[in-house]
Amino acid sequence: MKLSTSNDTIAAIATPNGRGGVGIIRISGAKAVAIAMQLTQQSTLFTARYAHFKRFYAEDNAVLDEGLVLYFPNPHSFTGEDVIELQGHGGPVLMDMLLKRVLDLGARMAQAGEFSQRAFLNDKLDLTQAEAIADLIDAASQAAVKSASRSLQGAFSQRINTLLDSLIHLRLYVEAAIDFPDEEIDFLSDGVVAEKLQQVRDNLQTVLNEAKQGSLLREGLRVVIAGKPNAGKSSLLNALAGYEAAIVTDIAGTTRDVLREQIHIDGLPLHIIDTAGLRDTGDAVEREGIRRAYHEINQADGVLLVYDLSTELSLNTQIVDNLSTVGDKSESYPQTNQKLSTVFNPLALAKQFFDPIPAPEKLCFVANKCDLVAQEPHITRIAGYTHITLSARQDMGLEQLRTHLKALVGYQDAEHSPFIARRRHLEALKRTETALQQAHNQLYGLALGELMAEDLRAAQEALGEITGEFTADDLLGKIFGSFCIGK
């Protein structure tokens, strides 16, 4: 989407597709009032912010519909322009006929997000607030709604603007010292710059940590359940989802395609992906399912490698003289009915499926069906990897799994997410962090004030991208292009 700078009057249906009691058409621009007056055959100006009950007329003076007209004069409207809202009956055909009449009277069809874009261009919203509108609409949990609402009210913008003010003040001090060297201000040794720079870095880290929590609320966590056929992958999906989302049978290869479910753990959206059992097979359909499984594994934030504790344990054990030969000495190991010198070797299992084996931050071993071998559910570490023993069908150990999934991405709870955040916000904050680290290196290394000032300028620009102060038009077009029509 190209960033629109036109003065056209735009219109769009602002309510969802389908039948409803009420349908709303929004019009914004210089011709909005004239269009509404022609549509309703009214000769006098509408009263601002007053609901007028009117009939809506077709070109041949036939009545199309009747409903309410609301007028919001510029600049005190959502877009900062004259805005008209037409509230009629919510039949899809009726709405299309009414919109066509509005377009015939001089408006054009709005692009996706163009109303919010005009609000941004007219300084009614900054970019984080505009994005929060879309996030509020798309929110999939109460926690996400609350955080998006706080962002819309300016919570995120306020934190960024406070950082920007501190950074600008620091830049002024540094550049003044560079420009006026005869004033006997040794800004590199008087401690003021070092103190202010550290304050900015500390405050940035706080905002970055909060933004990570806000991003998790929006983006969620992608977790793939993988393993051999009949290991209990679909049972685990059903247990986490809370209902029979996947077919469970004793027949190997029941799941042949990717199954997706979304649940929430303390407000964290969890995108669970069940996959076909990983094995060699001559079945073309099953092979395609396995190919898709590996594709999902490569894209995932976390992988749960599920195995059947009642059959797989003896196939992946390792005889050792000392438990410290597998993992760290401080680690504990699940008790088995093997000899004490026999411990489970998770890497032997993982090598059957992965080359290379995913890192411990991504891969977790899930020993399922612990009820069949009389083991209690527990969580431990083996060879640096998290190992969870549970029973999906008996609902044993699932809470420990949920705790692990939250810890996987450092999620705390919704109360630690004072605002919603997007991936681009995190990237901008991390670029700011890098620039401030370089400024710190200049201060304590080469002591070159000009280079330090340049690093501070780069940090300011990276922060400014978040609110839209330094954002390129192509990025703005991409952001607003992801909005729904009519918003």
Side-chain angles (χ1 to χ4, degrees), residues 260-319:
R260 304 175 191 274
E261 284 295 323
Q262 180 169 323
I263 65 172
H264 292 86
I265 303 176
D266 294 338
L268 171 65
L270 182 64
H271 309 284
I272 315 172
I273 303 168
D274 184 21
T275 58
L278 305 179
R279 65 172 179 175
D280 292 329
T281 177
D283 188 306
V285 176
E286 193 173 353
R287 282 203 308 270
E288 174 60 19
I290 293 171
R291 185 195 68 78
R292 295 184 182 188
Y294 278 111
H295 173 76
E296 294 294 340
I297 288 169
N298 292 333
Q299 303 296 318
D301 298 307
V303 177
L304 302 178
L305 183 54
V306 181
Y307 69 94
D308 185 342
L309 189 60
S310 66
T311 60
E312 286 288 327
L313 184 62
S314 61
L315 302 177
N316 297 281
T317 56
Q318 177 180 5
I319 306 299

Side-chain angles (χ1 to χ4, degrees), residues 170-190 193 449-450 453:
L170 178 57
R171 278 191 65 192
L172 291 174
Y173 187 88
V174 172
E175 292 181 6
I178 296 171
D179 293 339
F180 303 101
D182 296 335
E183 297 295 325
E184 299 182 355
I185 300 175
D186 187 358
F187 74 95
L188 295 178
S189 62
D190 66 3
V193 168
E450 290 83 358

Side-chain angles (χ1 to χ4, degrees), residues 387-407:
H387 185 281
I388 300 176
T389 301
L390 53 77
S391 172
R393 282 197 171 183
Q394 299 302 320
D395 196 16
M396 300 167 60
L398 292 179
E399 193 56 40
Q400 292 169 312
L401 176 58
R402 295 185 183 99
T403 299
H404 166 71
L405 291 174
K406 290 191 295 181

